Amino acid sequence: EPEVTQTPSHQVTQMGQEVILRCVPISNHLYFYWYRQILGQKVEFLVSFYNNEISEKSEIFDDQFSVERPDGSNFTLKIRSTKLEDSAMYFCASSPALIGDTQYFGPGTRLTVL
Amino acid sequence: KNEVEQSPQNLTAQEGEFITINCSYSVGISALHWLQQHPGGGIVSLFMLSSGKKKHGRLIATINIHEKHSSLHITASHPRDSAVYICAVVQGAQKLVFGQGTRLTINP
């Protein structure tokens, strides 16, 4: 069964460094998402992406964040200058269509900012 | 006030018991998801519904749009059902707003 994959599974970085989290969505899906979950807290929406552009973003998704689909398969989340409070689990998800379709989640990347 | 509230926050039961987890929301939605998060952190979608009732195996999800309430039921619960169950509502076209989750523990 096709699945969403994410790399790396765990990323440790120093405050102020740039990180890129990578996701490979399910191949025939058209909508892509990033979510984050700070330890012990609920999952939060960051951004959705369709047709090579952001379709919706939350207030969390400020200028430090960017997303890109650099080729036909990868979907990346870049954090330009990491802060301690960016430490969280980051989940990528994809869905075949918009409303009315299940979102399929990747296993997550645990980001630790020191 | 949270837009999505789940109850209970924690639930411990014995194997075989009938489980109900509730979700109330205060905003207009186009659909509602029930998700399962395993101890390792992975998230699996269980149901997406916008009206009525859906059943998959021992899991049943219902939603009452007028009362802004949904329930997830597990029949004949088993220790492998132990996980965090999350309700998330769809706002607008795509944005998922999550509840805080219900931690379910089923003892043998």
Coordinates of all heavy atoms in Angstrom, one line a residue, chain A residues 31 33 35 37 42-43 45 48 55-56 91 98-103 105, chain B residues 2 33 35 37 40-41 43 45 48 86 91 93-96 98-100:
Chain A
Y31 N -2.8 17.2 -3.1 CA -2.8 18.2 -2.0 C -1.8 17.8 -0.9 O -1.8 16.6 -0.6 CB -4.2 18.4 -1.4 CG -5.1 18.9 -2.5 CD1 -5.8 18.1 -3.3 CD2 -5.4 20.3 -2.6 CE1 -6.7 18.5 -4.3 CE2 -6.3 20.8 -3.5 CZ -6.9 19.9 -4.4 OH -7.8 20.4 -5.3
Y33 N 0.4 18.8 2.8 CA 0.2 19.6 4.1 C 1.4 19.4 5.0 O 2.0 18.3 4.9 CB -1.1 19.1 4.8 CG -2.3 18.9 4.0 CD1 -2.5 17.7 3.3 CD2 -3.2 19.9 3.9 CE1 -3.6 17.6 2.5 CE2 -4.4 19.7 3.1 CZ -4.6 18.6 2.4 OH -5.7 18.4 1.6
Y35 N 2.1 19.7 9.2 CA 1.6 19.9 10.6 C 2.7 19.8 11.5 O 3.7 19.2 11.2 CB 0.5 18.9 10.9 CG -0.7 18.8 10.0 CD1 -0.7 18.0 8.9 CD2 -1.8 19.6 10.3 CE1 -1.8 18.0 8.1 CE2 -2.9 19.6 9.5 CZ -2.9 18.8 8.4 OH -4.0 18.7 7.6
Q37 N 3.6 19.1 15.9 CA 3.1 18.8 17.3 C 4.2 19.0 18.3 O 5.2 18.2 18.3 CB 2.6 17.3 17.3 CG 1.9 17.0 18.6 CD 1.4 15.6 18.6 OE1 1.9 14.7 17.9 NE2 0.3 15.3 19.3
K42 N -1.3 19.6 21.3 CA -2.0 19.0 20.1 C -1.4 19.3 18.8 O -0.5 20.2 18.7 CB -3.5 19.6 20.2 CG -3.5 21.1 20.0 CD -5.0 21.6 20.1 CE -5.0 23.1 20.0 NZ -6.4 23.6 20.1
V43 N -1.8 18.6 17.8 CA -1.3 18.8 16.5 C -1.8 20.1 15.9 O -3.0 20.5 16.1 CB -1.7 17.6 15.5 CG1 -1.2 17.8 14.1 CG2 -1.3 16.3 16.1
F45 N -2.0 22.8 12.4 CA -1.9 23.0 11.0 C -0.8 24.1 10.7 O -0.8 25.1 11.4 CB -3.2 23.4 10.4 CG -3.2 23.9 9.0 CD1 -3.2 23.0 7.9 CD2 -3.2 25.2 8.7 CE1 -3.3 23.4 6.6 CE2 -3.2 25.7 7.4 CZ -3.3 24.7 6.3
S48 N -1.0 24.3 3.7 CA -1.4 23.4 2.6 C -0.9 23.9 1.3 O -0.7 25.1 1.1 CB -2.9 23.3 2.6 OG -3.6 24.5 2.5
S55 N -1.9 27.2 -0.6 CA -3.3 27.5 -0.7 C -3.8 28.0 0.6 O -4.8 28.8 0.6 CB -4.1 26.3 -1.2 OG -3.7 25.1 -0.5
E56 N -3.2 27.6 1.7 CA -3.7 28.1 3.0 C -2.5 28.0 4.0 O -1.7 27.0 3.9 CB -4.9 27.4 3.5 CG -5.5 28.0 4.7 CD -6.9 27.5 5.0 OE1 -7.4 26.6 4.3 OE2 -7.6 28.0 6.0
F91 N 4.8 16.7 10.8 CA 4.1 15.7 10.0 C 3.8 16.2 8.6 O 3.3 17.3 8.5 CB 2.8 15.2 10.7 CG 3.0 14.4 11.9 CD1 2.8 15.1 13.2 CD2 3.3 13.1 11.9 CE1 3.0 14.4 14.4 CE2 3.5 12.4 13.1 CZ 3.3 13.0 14.3
L98 N -9.5 17.5 -2.5 CA -9.6 18.5 -1.5 C -10.6 18.1 -0.4 O -10.3 17.3 0.5 CB -10.0 19.8 -2.1 CG -9.9 21.1 -1.3 CD1 -8.6 21.3 -0.8 CD2 -10.4 22.3 -2.1
I99 N -11.8 18.6 -0.5 CA -12.8 18.3 0.5 C -13.3 16.8 0.2 O -13.5 16.4 -0.9 CB -14.0 19.3 0.4 CG1 -13.5 20.7 0.7 CG2 -15.1 18.9 1.4 CD1 -14.5 21.7 0.6
G100 N -13.6 16.1 1.3 CA -14.1 14.8 1.1 C -13.1 13.7 0.9 O -13.5 12.6 0.6
D101 N -11.9 14.0 1.2 CA -10.9 12.9 1.0 C -10.0 12.8 2.3 O -9.7 13.8 2.9 CB -10.0 13.2 -0.2 CG -10.3 12.2 -1.3 OD1 -10.4 11.0 -1.0 OD2 -10.3 12.6 -2.4
T102 N -9.6 11.6 2.6 CA -8.8 11.3 3.7 C -7.4 11.9 3.5 O -6.9 11.9 2.3 CB -8.6 9.8 3.9 OG1 -9.9 9.3 4.2 CG2 -7.7 9.5 5.0
Q103 N -6.8 12.4 4.5 CA -5.4 12.8 4.5 C -4.5 11.7 5.0 O -4.8 11.1 6.0 CB -5.2 14.1 5.3 CG -5.8 15.3 4.7 CD -5.5 16.6 5.4 OE1 -4.4 16.7 6.1 NE2 -6.3 17.6 5.3
F105 N -1.0 10.5 6.5 CA 0.1 11.2 7.2 C 1.4 10.4 7.1 O 1.4 9.1 7.1 CB -0.2 11.3 8.7 CG -1.2 12.4 9.0 CD1 -2.6 12.2 8.8 CD2 -0.8 13.6 9.5 CE1 -3.5 13.2 9.0 CE2 -1.7 14.6 9.8 CZ -3.1 14.4 9.5
Chain B
N2 N -11.0 26.4 23.4 CA -10.6 25.6 22.3 C -11.7 25.5 21.3 O -12.9 25.3 21.7 CB -10.1 24.3 22.7 CG -8.8 24.4 23.5 OD1 -8.0 25.2 23.2 ND2 -8.6 23.5 24.5
H33 N -12.6 14.7 11.0 CA -11.8 13.5 11.0 C -11.6 12.9 12.4 O -11.5 13.6 13.3 CB -10.4 13.8 10.4 CG -10.3 14.2 9.0 ND1 -9.9 13.4 8.0 CD2 -10.7 15.4 8.4 CE1 -9.9 14.1 6.9 NE2 -10.4 15.3 7.1
L35 N -8.7 10.5 14.1 CA -7.4 10.0 13.8 C -6.9 9.2 15.0 O -7.4 9.4 16.1 CB -6.5 11.2 13.6 CG -6.9 12.2 12.5 CD1 -6.2 13.5 12.7 CD2 -6.6 11.7 11.1
Q37 N -3.3 8.1 16.9 CA -1.9 8.3 17.0 C -1.3 7.3 17.9 O -1.6 7.1 19.1 CB -1.6 9.7 17.6 CG -0.1 10.1 17.6 CD 0.2 11.5 17.8 OE1 -0.5 12.2 18.5 NE2 1.3 12.0 17.3
G40 N 4.4 5.5 19.1 CA 5.6 6.0 18.4 C 5.4 7.4 17.7 O 6.4 7.9 17.2
G41 N 4.2 7.8 17.7 CA 3.9 9.2 17.1 C 3.2 9.2 15.8 O 2.6 10.2 15.4
I43 N 0.5 8.9 12.8 CA -0.9 9.3 12.8 C -1.6 8.6 11.7 O -1.1 8.6 10.5 CB -1.1 10.8 12.6 CG1 -0.5 11.6 13.8 CG2 -2.6 11.2 12.4 CD1 -0.6 13.1 13.7
S45 N -5.4 8.0 9.8 CA -6.8 8.4 9.6 C -7.7 7.3 9.8 O -7.6 6.2 9.1 CB -7.0 9.1 8.3 OG -8.3 9.6 8.1
M48 N -13.4 10.0 8.0 CA -13.7 11.3 7.6 C -15.2 11.3 7.4 O -15.7 10.5 6.6 CB -13.0 11.8 6.4 CG -12.9 13.3 6.3 SD -13.6 14.1 4.8 CE -14.9 13.1 4.2
I86 N -7.7 11.3 18.1 CA -7.8 12.7 17.9 C -8.9 13.0 17.0 O -9.1 12.4 15.9 CB -6.5 13.2 17.3 CG1 -5.3 12.9 18.2 CG2 -6.6 14.7 17.0 CD1 -3.9 13.1 17.5
Q91 N -11.8 23.2 8.5 CA -12.4 24.6 8.4 C -12.0 25.1 7.0 O -10.9 24.9 6.6 CB -11.7 25.4 9.5 CG -12.4 25.4 10.8 CD -11.9 26.5 11.7 OE1 -10.8 26.7 12.0 NE2 -12.9 27.3 12.2
A93 N -11.5 25.1 3.3 CA -11.3 24.1 2.3 C -10.4 23.0 2.8 O -10.6 21.8 2.5 CB -10.7 24.7 1.0
Q94 N -9.4 23.4 3.6 CA -8.3 22.4 3.9 C -7.8 22.4 5.3 O -7.2 21.4 5.7 CB -7.2 22.7 3.0 CG -7.5 22.6 1.5 CD -6.5 23.4 0.7 OE1 -5.7 24.2 1.2 NE2 -6.5 23.3 -0.6
K95 N -8.0 23.4 6.0 CA -7.3 23.5 7.3 C -7.9 22.6 8.3 O -9.1 22.6 8.6 CB -7.4 25.0 7.8 CG -6.8 25.2 9.2 CD -7.0 26.7 9.6 CE -6.5 26.9 11.0 NZ -6.8 28.3 11.4
L96 N -7.1 21.7 8.9 CA -7.5 20.9 10.0 C -7.3 21.5 11.3 O -6.1 22.0 11.6 CB -6.8 19.5 9.9 CG -7.3 18.5 8.9 CD1 -6.5 17.2 9.1 CD2 -8.7 18.2 9.0
F98 N -7.3 20.6 15.3 CA -7.2 19.4 16.1 C -7.7 19.6 17.5 O -7.5 20.7 18.1 CB -5.8 18.9 16.1 CG -5.3 18.4 14.8 CD1 -4.9 19.3 13.8 CD2 -5.2 17.1 14.5 CE1 -4.4 18.9 12.6 CE2 -4.7 16.7 13.3 CZ -4.3 17.6 12.3
G99 N -8.3 18.5 18.0 CA -8.6 18.5 19.5 C -7.3 18.0 20.2 O -6.3 17.7 19.5
Q100 N -7.3 18.0 21.5 CA -6.1 17.7 22.2 C -5.9 16.2 22.4 O -4.9 15.8 22.8 CB -6.2 18.3 23.6 CG -7.1 17.6 24.6 CD -8.6 17.9 24.5 OE1 -9.1 18.4 23.5 NE2 -9.3 17.6 25.6

